[in-house]
């Protein structure tokens, strides 16, 4: 079925989406007829497969449109109301998907329709759309008249399902080999290549066959065409040039990898005639892997040398021999001679031995004329990154590998030498930063990478015995040079760093986190605020436009949080659109911003239902929606029907860098201008000195720096952060001014060179952390907890005794925020950073530096077999690459991973970070992940018991949609510290059964787990074997305690290290819920969240007396007698209190009961007011009231009025949504 859906996906585009669904039944039977319809007018149609008639006829119903030509919503109409009984028309097809797809192709080519495919829970959905009547600008997808790309869909379907018992193929499974090569041709050959034209004809012929018997003329035509195609394939079993420019090494490696893929499938299929040759074929496979390894290793790189050219020619000849062998015996339809195959394979292996002898001679010869260090170069290095690589080498030494065992002493010697050089450099660096020292760090790091590559490769022992001594010679040369430099260092003769990176203390920095300064935008803010608060009752769109870095988003945020705006509008929402947007994501962001949607609800709703929910939630309300960074007016047209104009004075605020977006959609267009020199200087002073005056000796040079920022606020902010983090010396400031004035770039890259100064002045250890932001998609809010774990996994973070790596990483992030390079997107309840992002210009700068230095590459089209970049980030779910990365240089794979058949994971042995969350493991099975011995961080969509083979795994994120079972061996993984199940998890049945028998389990080292179910006594017993837990999120239920003979909730007091606990209580259907036994809460708790609770006064008193509690969140629950009285001596350390949907009617408290409270949040509370005396809490900075009753709102506003005479630092926000 997947092939059919892939074909539909391939021929359809993606605009705003209207769902077509298949209801019930078996997928393959129902989707045989996907859809076929002639679209008329400009109506958006909601289509559904209402049923299948037994026999050749399918009926596709077309329901009444939800929206008509006018664009106005027809009230009261929904998909469910139409329910298929009132179809405006229907289409009959012959029941085969082929003619249906032809109708789709015709509609797409004629510019009439488009759609896409997705899977939700156990159903497949196809989203389908008509085109809008308004013009779509700057969108390549509008070129619908272009020729449909070649595909093997019909060919695959015919070969796999209709020819199972035919004699078209010489052995079972041969069709699969043909399909492998066909897919390679599509990606390797130009569109006008003759073989591509033949492949298209063959695919079309296969389509025609599906409607006829095997004795038909169509079948005979297909068989003839298939044999012609097989004959044409012969030339592709020889190395030949491609449509992409490749180096000679890579071109040969691409073909060897193709032959490897075919060999792997042959061994999997195991046709009976190869049984005697199975071992020889396996040997050939390993020899080819070695050849690819060599083609990516240092000795093969100087291709200008005659000796290298000769070796490369010999390897190409072997590759061609392998191709001839494969074609002659596995891609023919005639009977073959096993004796001839045996002889050919024997001769082939003999040729490989001869080539290996040539490689041996070459490696010994070429090292004498090679420059030191031919591994991929990157200037991005840190002391802690070197430490991480050396740790990896140590892990590699301990592998159970016969090859490594024989050279273990050599590897150990190299490791010791590198450790010595690292310590030697660290001691010299402790004084001052020198560029020569950084160069040595890079050389040591590159040698460590080279050792990793060679040891992890598929090279035989003899190759290791040649290459490792060569690496040792490089180390000896570095040692000699380093000793010479040590003499200069001791004599004070080393050159100072080009970009000194002095920094202020973290204590000083924390005070200024999130300190927003708006300069030069005061008049704009006043004007736009008046437009937002105007008396006009109609829905108005207001735009802010200007070039990147002018402060559009900053101004919009200031207005969005303005107390007058918050108080006037019933509903507020913020969403980021970006250059590449999805309508679904925009709708979800708006709904979640208004707290109208949770993650579980999202998965159960299609786009139209999301839009209808948005429409209903806004109906009758005065609302303001901010659409930040909108590039194309189509993003607005795609969702405008979901915003009711109900004459309530609602507003939409756009920020855009394109004037035409504002003029086409908006009633008010507000351009932002560059700052004047005086405004730049004013902003610079405030960012550097805050309320202190600028020293007189720095005035002139400071004004010059401000002038050189060319009026761009972002440039002023990041350069000010550079100045704030260095000594206030005129010499240093003059250096910054000179460097700024020297950066004169092309208009397309304007300001990026100036902004790069902020990167150049970063301390060495912060540079990789900052560049890592380039891996994330534009405008994406990045979860800080996940970002920090990624940094730790990559080896960017210093290992500090008695401190966790996560805490150190948090300091790194704080430093980057204070330098103006990273923005805070969301804060946690305790004031920490929950989510962050970077400005578009800074992200562009990250990508430019990261790609130039081989640190990181965003993959959008071609993937190299010998990928030189250490980190790959995929921003497209489909990569038209003809090669799989044989990436022994690749350390991380992030983003939307394409079809995992593109990857052969045993070829990526050095991966530390792998994100597979976009892959459905029910459809795919990535090959040989057991080879990923160094993997530290893994994101998957499902989990299996084989996870334990990843023995170095520390962080596991399971992006599941439904509750999954936790395999028992997960808790046996010694290094695993963090596990997160997005959709929840429960212990496996076998594990729980063993727990009921009081069996003893292996203790785990887990520190953080979420979200798991603890529903009975056996679950609690299993949890007891994780005594190191510091953070736990769980769902609990009441259960029978066999030892105490009563019902109770699970206890947590055995988790002595627990600092954060989130508990959701499940309703009991056994007995009436008792009050949770909170006497069993750990005394170390700093954060406590309770959901769906029923607490007595006694239980509340236990919570209040937790000695270290700083954050308390009570959500959707009741307190006994709906009354809450607090007393002095309780909540002594509480800084954050949230009451969300708490059912109480009386709250009695005073300032003395919450001596350190900084923030109070109330949501959906209706029957009580805030005690007025809380306004006098000395530490209280913010009261946030959202969607509460008028009595609660009035009590908050009363506190604000009372405190205005005493203080100006208390912020009170009252929001109706």
């Amino acid at each position: 079925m997947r092939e059919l859906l892939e074909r539909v996906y391939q021929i359809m585009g993606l605009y705003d989406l209207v769902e077509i669904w298949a209801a019930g039944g078996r997928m393959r039977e129902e989707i045989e007829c996907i859809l076929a319809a002639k679209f008329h007018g400009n109506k958006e149609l909601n289509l559904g497969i209402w049923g299948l008639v037994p026999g050749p006829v399918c009926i596709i119903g077309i329901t009444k449109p939800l929206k008509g030509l006018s664009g106005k919503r027809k009230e009261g109409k929904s998909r469910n109301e139409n329910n298929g009984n009132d179809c405006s028309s229907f289409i009959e097809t012959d029941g085969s998907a082929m003619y249906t797809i032809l109708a789709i192709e015709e509609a797409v080519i004629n510019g009439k329709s488009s759609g896409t495919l997705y899977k939700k829970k156990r159903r497949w959905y196809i989203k389908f759309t008509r085109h809008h009547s308004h013009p779509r600008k700057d969108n390549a997808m509008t070129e619908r008249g272009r020729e449909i790309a070649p595909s093997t869909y019909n060919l695959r379907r015919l070969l796999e399902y209709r020819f199972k018992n035919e004699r078209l193929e010489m052995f079972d499974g041969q069709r699969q080999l043909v399909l492998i090569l066909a897919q390679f041709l599509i990606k390797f050959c130009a569109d006008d290549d003759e073989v591509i034209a033949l492949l298209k004809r063959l695919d079309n012929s296969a389509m025609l066959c599906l409607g006829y018997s095997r004795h038909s003329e169509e079948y005979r035509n297909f068989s003839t065409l298939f044999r012609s195609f097989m004959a044409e394939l012969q030339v592709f079993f020889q190395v030949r040039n491609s449509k992409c420019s490749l180096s000679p090494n890579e071109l040969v490696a691409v073909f060897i990898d193709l032959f490897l893929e075919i060999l792997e499938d042959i061994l999997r299929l195991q046709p009976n005639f190869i049984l005697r040759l199975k071992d020889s074929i396996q040997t050939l496979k390993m020899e080819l892997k070695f050849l690819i390894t060599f083609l990516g290793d240092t000795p093969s790189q100087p291709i200008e040398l005659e000796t290298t050219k000769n070796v490369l020619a010999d390897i190409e000849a072997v590759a061609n021999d392998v191709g001839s062998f494969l074609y002659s015996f596995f891609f023919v339809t005639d009977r073959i001679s096993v004796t001839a195959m045996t002889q050919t394979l024997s001769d082939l292996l003999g040729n490989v031995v001869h080539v290996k002898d040539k490689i041996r001679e070459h490696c010994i010869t070429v090292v004498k004329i090679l420059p030191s260090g031919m591994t991929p170069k990157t200037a991005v290095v840190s002391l802690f990154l070197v430490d991480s690589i050396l740790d990896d080498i140590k892990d590699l030494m301990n592998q159970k590998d016969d090859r490594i065992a024989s050279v273990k002493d050599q590897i150990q010697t190299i490791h010791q030498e590198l450790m010595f050089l690292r310590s030697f450099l660290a001691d010299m660096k402790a004084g001052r930063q020198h560029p020569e020292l950084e160069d040595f760090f890079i050389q040591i790091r590159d040698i460590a990478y080279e050792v990793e590559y060679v040891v992890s490769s598929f090279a035989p022992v003899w190759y290791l015995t040649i290459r490792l001594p060569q690496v040792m010679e490089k180390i000896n040369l570095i040692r000699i040079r380093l000793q010479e430099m040590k003499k200069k260092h001791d004599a004070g003769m080393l050159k100072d760093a080009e970009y000194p990176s002095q920094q202020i203390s973290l204590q000083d920095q924390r005070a200024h986190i999130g300190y927003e300064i708006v300069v030069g935008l005061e008049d704009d803010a006043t004007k736009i605020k008046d437009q937002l608060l105007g008396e006009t009752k109609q829905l108005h769109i207001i735009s802010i436009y200007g070039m990147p870095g002018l402060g559009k988003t900053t101004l919009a945020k200031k207005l969005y949080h303005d107390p007058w705006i918050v108080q006037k509008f019933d509903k507020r929402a913020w969403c980021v659109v970006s250059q590449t947007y999805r309508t679904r994501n925009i709708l979800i962001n708006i709904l979640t911003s208004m707290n109208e949607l949770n993650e579980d609800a999202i998965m159960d709703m299609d786009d139209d239902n999301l839009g209808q929910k948005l429409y209903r939630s806004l109906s009758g309300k005065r609302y303001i929606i901010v659409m930040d960074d909108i590039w194309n007016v189509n993003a607005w047209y795609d969702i405008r029907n979901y915003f009711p104009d109900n004459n309530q004075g609602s507003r939409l605020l756009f920020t855009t860098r394109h004037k035409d977006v504002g003029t086409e959609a908006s009633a008010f267009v507000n351009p932002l201008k560059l700052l004047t020199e005086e405004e730049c200087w004013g902003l610079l002073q405030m960012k550097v000195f805050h309320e202190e005056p600028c020293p007189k000796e720095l005035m002139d040079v400071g004004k010059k720096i401000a002038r050189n920022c060319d009026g761009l606020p972002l440039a002023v902010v990041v350069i000010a952060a550079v100045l704030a983090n260095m000594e206030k010396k005129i010499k240093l400031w003059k250096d910054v001014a000179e460097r700024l004035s020297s950066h004169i770039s092309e208009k397309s890259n304007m300001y990026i060179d100036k902004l790069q100064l902020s990167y150049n002045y970063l301390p060495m250890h912060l540079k990789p952390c900052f560049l890592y932001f380039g891996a994330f998609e534009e405008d994406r809010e990045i979860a800080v907890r996940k970002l920090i774990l990624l940094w730790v996994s990559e080896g960017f973070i210093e290992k500090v005794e008695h401190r966790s790596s996560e805490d150190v990483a948090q300091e790194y992030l704080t430093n980057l925020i204070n330098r103006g390079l990273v923005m805070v997107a969301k804060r946690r309840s305790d004031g920490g950073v929950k989510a962050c992002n970077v400005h578009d210009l800074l992200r562009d700068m990250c990508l430019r530096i990261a790609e130039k230095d081989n640190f990181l590459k965003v993959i959008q089209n071609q993937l190299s077999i010998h990928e030189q970049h250490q980190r790959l980030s995929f921003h497209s779910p489909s990569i038209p690459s003809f090669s799989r990365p044989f990436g022994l240089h690749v350390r991380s794979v992030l983003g939307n991973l394409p079809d995992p058949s593109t990857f052969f994971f045993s070829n990526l042995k050095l991966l530390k970070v792998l994100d597979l969350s976009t892959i459905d493991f029910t459809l795919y099975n990535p090959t040989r992940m057991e080879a990923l011995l160094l993997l530290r961080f893994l994101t998957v969509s499902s989990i299996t018991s084989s996870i334990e083979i990843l023995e170095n795994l520390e962080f596991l994120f399971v992006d599941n949609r439904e509750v999954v079972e936790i395999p028992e061996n997960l808790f046996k993984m010694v290094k695993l510290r963090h596990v997160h199940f997005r959709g929840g998890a429960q212990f496996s049945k076998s594990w729980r059964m063993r727990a009921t028998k009081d069996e003893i389990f292996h203790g785990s080292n887990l520190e953080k787990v979420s979200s798991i179910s603890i529903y009975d006594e056996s679950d609690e017993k299993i949890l007891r074997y994780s005594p190191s837990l510091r953070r736990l999120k769980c769902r609990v239920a009441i259960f029978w305690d066999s030892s105490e003979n009563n019902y109770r909730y699970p206890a947590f007091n055995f988790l002595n290290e627990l600092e954060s606990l989130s508990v959701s209580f499940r309703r009991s259907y056994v007995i009436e819920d008792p009050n949770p036994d909170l006497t069993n809460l750990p005394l170390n708790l700093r954060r406590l969240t309770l959901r769906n609770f029923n607490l007595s006064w006694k239980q509340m008193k236990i919570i209040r007396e937790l000695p270290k509690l700083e954050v308390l969140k009570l959500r959707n629950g009741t307190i006994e007698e709906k009354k809450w009285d607090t007393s002095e001596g309780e909540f002594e350390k509480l800084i954050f209190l949230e009451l969300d949907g708490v059912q109480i009617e009386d709250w009695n408290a005073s300032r003395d009961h919450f001596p350190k409270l900084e923030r109070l949040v109330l949501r959906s509370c209706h029957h009580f007011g805030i005690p007025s005396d809380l306004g006098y809490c000395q530490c209280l900075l913010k009261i946030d009231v959202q969607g509460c009753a008028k009595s609660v709102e009035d009590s908050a506003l009363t506190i604000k009025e009372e405190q205005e005479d005493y203080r100006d630092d208390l912020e009170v926000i009252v929001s109706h949504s």
Side-chain angles (χ1 to χ4, degrees), residues 390-637:
L390 293 176
D391 288 343
D392 293 341
I393 293 175
K394 195 171 182 179
D395 288 335
L396 289 171
M397 281 191 291
N398 297 324
Q399 283 188 36
K400 296 177 181 178
D401 187 330
D402 293 338
R403 297 177 315 112
I404 294 176
S406 59
V407 291
K408 188 172 182 178
D409 291 343
Q410 293 184 58
I411 300 173
Q412 197 162 9
T413 301
I414 290 173
H415 183 265
Q416 290 171 351
E417 286 293 318
L418 290 174
M419 286 290 291
F420 169 77
L421 294 178
R422 177 259 180 233
S423 300
F424 194 76
L425 274 172
D427 291 342
M428 285 196 290
K429 186 179 180 296
R432 294 194 61 161
Q433 187 172 339
H434 300 286
E436 292 143 81
L437 292 178
E438 194 163 324
D439 288 342
F440 273 105
F441 273 120
I442 292 173
Q443 291 178 50
I444 292 172
R445 191 262 336 265
D446 287 343
I447 288 177
Y449 277 150
E450 190 171 349
V451 173
E452 268 193 318
Y453 182 94
V454 172
V455 173
S456 302
S457 69
F458 302 92
V461 174
W462 66 261
Y463 189 76
L464 296 178
T465 58
I466 292 175
R467 291 289 288 114
L468 290 176
Q470 292 174 352
V471 172
M472 194 64 209
E473 287 182 22
K474 294 181 184 180
I475 293 175
N476 291 333
L477 290 174
I478 290 178
R479 180 191 272 264
I480 293 170
R481 290 175 52 210
L482 195 54
Q483 288 171 343
E484 293 174 354
M485 194 186 73
K486 178 70 164 58
K487 296 176 182 178
K488 292 183 181 180
H489 176 271
D490 294 342
M493 297 170 61
L494 284 184
K495 181 182 177 182
D496 284 340
E498 186 176 6
Y499 299 99
S501 57
Q502 295 92 345
Q503 52 187 325
I504 58 178
S505 68
L506 282 172
Q507 184 177 2
D508 293 331
Q509 289 176 329
R510 286 196 187 98
H512 307 304
I513 290 180
Y515 186 67
E516 289 286 345
I517 301 173
V518 178
V519 171
L521 301 177
E522 296 87 350
D523 293 341
D524 297 289
T526 301
K527 181 176 69 172
I528 298 171
K529 182 176 176 180
D530 289 341
Q531 294 168 0
L532 294 171
L533 297 175
E535 295 301 321
T536 307
K537 296 299 183 182
Q538 288 180 313
L539 172 64
H540 274 173
I541 301 174
I542 298 159
S543 294
I544 305 172
Y545 88 86
M547 65 175 292
L550 279 180
K552 300 183 297 295
T553 301
T554 300
L555 177 56
K557 283 184 178 178
K558 179 180 175 64
L559 292 165
Y560 183 75
H561 293 292
D562 184 279
W564 288 98
I565 301 291
V566 172
Q567 192 167 350
K568 180 179 175 76
F569 292 95
D570 303 318
K571 296 277 187 179
R572 294 184 308 134
W574 181 289
C575 72
V576 180
V577 180
S578 297
Q579 186 174 7
T580 55
Y581 70 90
R582 288 186 61 197
T583 303
R584 179 178 180 81
N585 290 345
I586 296 174
L587 294 172
I588 288 173
N589 289 339
I590 293 173
L591 286 164
T592 52
S593 180
M594 295 189 301
N595 296 316
E596 295 284 343
L597 205 61
N598 57 43
E599 286 189 4
D600 295 333
I602 291 172
M603 302 312 302
D604 295 326
M605 299 178 73
D606 58 49
D607 292 7
D608 193 57
N609 280 337
L610 288 170
Q612 291 181 40
K613 181 171 180 61
L614 175 60
Y615 187 91
R616 290 193 299 268
S617 68
L618 298 178
S619 293
K621 303 289 186 182
R622 181 188 295 119
Y623 58 86
I624 178 171
I625 311 293
V626 179
M627 295 180 67
D628 185 34
D629 197 23
I630 179 169
W631 285 63
N632 193 313
V633 74
N634 294 322
W636 162 239
Y637 289 144

Side-chain angles (χ1 to χ4, degrees), residues 797-857:
I797 309 302
E798 180 182 10
K799 294 179 180 178
V800 180
E801 194 173 358
H802 306 306
R803 291 192 65 192
S804 72
S805 297
E806 292 92 310
D807 289 342
V808 178
Q810 187 69 56
E811 285 189 2
Y812 287 16
L813 179 63
T814 299
N815 205 324
L816 289 171
I817 291 170
N818 284 315
R819 292 172 180 273
L821 297 175
V822 177
M823 298 182 292
V824 177
K826 291 179 182 176
R827 288 195 177 275
R828 294 198 303 267
S829 50
D830 59 2
V833 183
K834 183 177 183 178
C836 62
N837 54 18
V838 294
H839 192 281
D840 292 351
L841 279 180
L842 292 174
R843 179 180 174 275
D844 291 343
M845 181 185 78
C846 279
L847 290 176
R848 189 171 74 169
I849 297 171
E851 186 158 349
K852 176 176 68 71
D853 289 339
N854 288 324
F855 177 81
L856 166 75
K857 183 179 182 181

Side-chain angles (χ1 to χ4, degrees), residues 868-881:
Q868 301 295 292
H869 294 81
Q870 295 163 358
R871 292 160 192 89
L872 306 179
S873 181
F874 293 87
H875 289 182
S876 171
S878 177
I879 305 297
S881 177

